[in-house]
Amino acid sequence: MDALLSRLFSSEEEELYILDCMAYSMVFMAACTFVTLLFENVPYGRYTDSKYGFPVNVRLAWFVQELPAFLVPVCLVFWTPCAKTSLLANQLLIAMYFCHYVHRSLVYPFLIRGGKPTPFASFFLAVVFCIYNGYMQIRYLSHYAEYPAHWVTHPCFLAGSVLWLVGWLVNMHSDHILRNLRKPGETGYKIPTGGMFEYVSGANFLGEIIEWAGFALASHSVHSSAFAIFTTVVLASRAVAHHKWYLAKFEDYPKSKKALIPFLL
């Protein structure tokens, strides 16, 4: 891995410059995605559309597309010189990232019950994104990120870490609720209840948005902020689409429930 990076970049300064450019490019991609999603839903799950390519089994798609977000960082941490991984702040931030993606890539796909196939285009773009973001986040944290000696006691790090944990727990609990909506053998859609689903239609999306917003606050970098912005754009759009879908599908759907932010939106 180190030999590959040495061939790609002539110096550490060049690589850090590229990492910064990748972050700003992700913000630009988030803006483009925001505009696109005003007219089109992300085509997977209940919004699957055959025009986006042949179907990929949902479990296989989730496993393969999320795996690079785990494997690329593993290679970066264990098979390249990591100048910053001995520092506590960097270790904790890397641990937050891995805590999410170990579950998302190695556990979550095999817990999925049913689910519609994923169009190849959505699957392919997810693979590319996970490689791109996995490299950007962990290469920066393991090799370049420098924090003050007592950063782990700084209000930004503490508040961000709490937000990350709250978001992670909301996301995990909401996914558990969704997996158990239907009993074995049942098909069709049901109204999710319990946890944050009592307040919003996109509780799982809200949890993940909070999670990466907290990560960005604790990390205090353009790289993590870009990821949080992109995540918010995609998942907020999906939460709104789900909310409209539930209202149209179920006559008894609670009218007081919001799409993403309790009591507000």
Side-chain angles (χ1 to χ4, degrees):
M1 190 70 174
D2 191 43
L4 174 61
L5 293 175
S6 297
R7 289 190 178 190
L8 290 173
F9 308 108
S10 60
S11 65
E12 291 188 347
E13 290 74 17
E14 181 185 5
E15 184 181 21
L16 181 56
Y17 173 76
I18 294 299
L19 286 169
D20 290 345
C21 289
M22 289 175 69
Y24 291 117
S25 296
M26 185 175 283
V27 174
F28 176 74
M29 286 190 291
C32 294
T33 301
F34 175 79
V35 174
T36 302
L37 293 178
L38 292 175
F39 307 97
E40 188 85 19
N41 290 318
V42 179
Y44 72 92
R46 66 193 62 176
Y47 311 111
T48 293
D49 193 322
S50 59
K51 72 180 180 181
Y52 292 101
F54 62 85
V56 182
N57 175 273
V58 64
R59 285 187 175 183
L60 178 64
W62 272 103
F63 174 66
V64 175
Q65 73 190 31
E66 299 292 325
L67 194 58
F70 169 70
L71 290 182
V72 171
V74 165
C75 293
L76 290 172
V77 169
F78 293 103
W79 293 327
T80 64
C82 297
K84 307 300 181 183
T85 52
S86 62
L87 304 176
L88 181 58
N90 301 61
Q91 290 174 347
L92 292 174
L93 290 165
I94 291 171
M96 290 179 197
Y97 176 94
F98 273 115
C99 189
H100 176 89
Y101 276 107
V102 166
H103 178 267
R104 184 64 76 193
S105 60
L106 301 180
V107 178
Y108 176 80
F110 304 101
L111 296 177
I112 294 174
R113 297 180 180 179
K116 294 183 178 179
T118 300
F120 181 79
S122 296
F123 162 72
F124 177 76
L125 289 174
V127 171
V128 172
F129 179 83
C130 285
I131 295 171
Y132 185 105
N133 188 59
Y135 165 72
M136 182 177 71
Q137 299 301 328
I138 298 305
R139 184 60 173 170
Y140 177 74
L141 287 172
S142 66
H143 203 77
Y144 295 105
E146 295 187 9
Y147 297 101
H150 302 294
W151 179 248
V152 293
T153 60
H154 190 280
C156 284
F157 186 88
L158 294 175
S161 298
V162 170
L163 275 177
W164 176 87
L165 180 60
V166 170
W168 184 77
L169 290 173
V170 169
N171 182 246
M172 294 283 285
H173 183 242
S174 300
D175 281 345
H176 173 76
I177 290 172
L178 291 173
R179 279 195 302 272
N180 291 279
L181 277 178
R182 294 185 291 266
K183 296 177 181 178
E186 286 186 332
T187 58
Y189 289 97
K190 292 187 175 182
I191 298 174
T193 58
M196 289 303 296
F197 281 114
E198 295 296 319
Y199 305 97
V200 295
S201 299
N204 50 329
F205 305 131
L206 173 62
E208 191 159 350
I209 288 171
I210 293 172
E211 183 182 350
W212 294 120
F215 178 77
L217 181 59
S219 178
H220 220 61
S221 72
V222 65
H223 313 86
S224 57
S225 297
F227 181 31
I229 291 169
F230 190 90
T231 298
T232 300
V233 166
V234 174
L235 298 187
S237 170
R238 198 155 179 87
V240 171
H242 273 32
H243 186 65
K244 292 178 179 177
W245 186 90
Y246 280 125
L247 288 170
K249 178 78 172 179
F250 300 101
E251 292 184 359
D252 59 341
Y253 195 73
K255 300 298 186 291
S256 61
K257 189 181 291 191
K258 300 300 182 180
L260 184 65
I261 304 174
F263 314 114
L264 295 176
L265 175 64

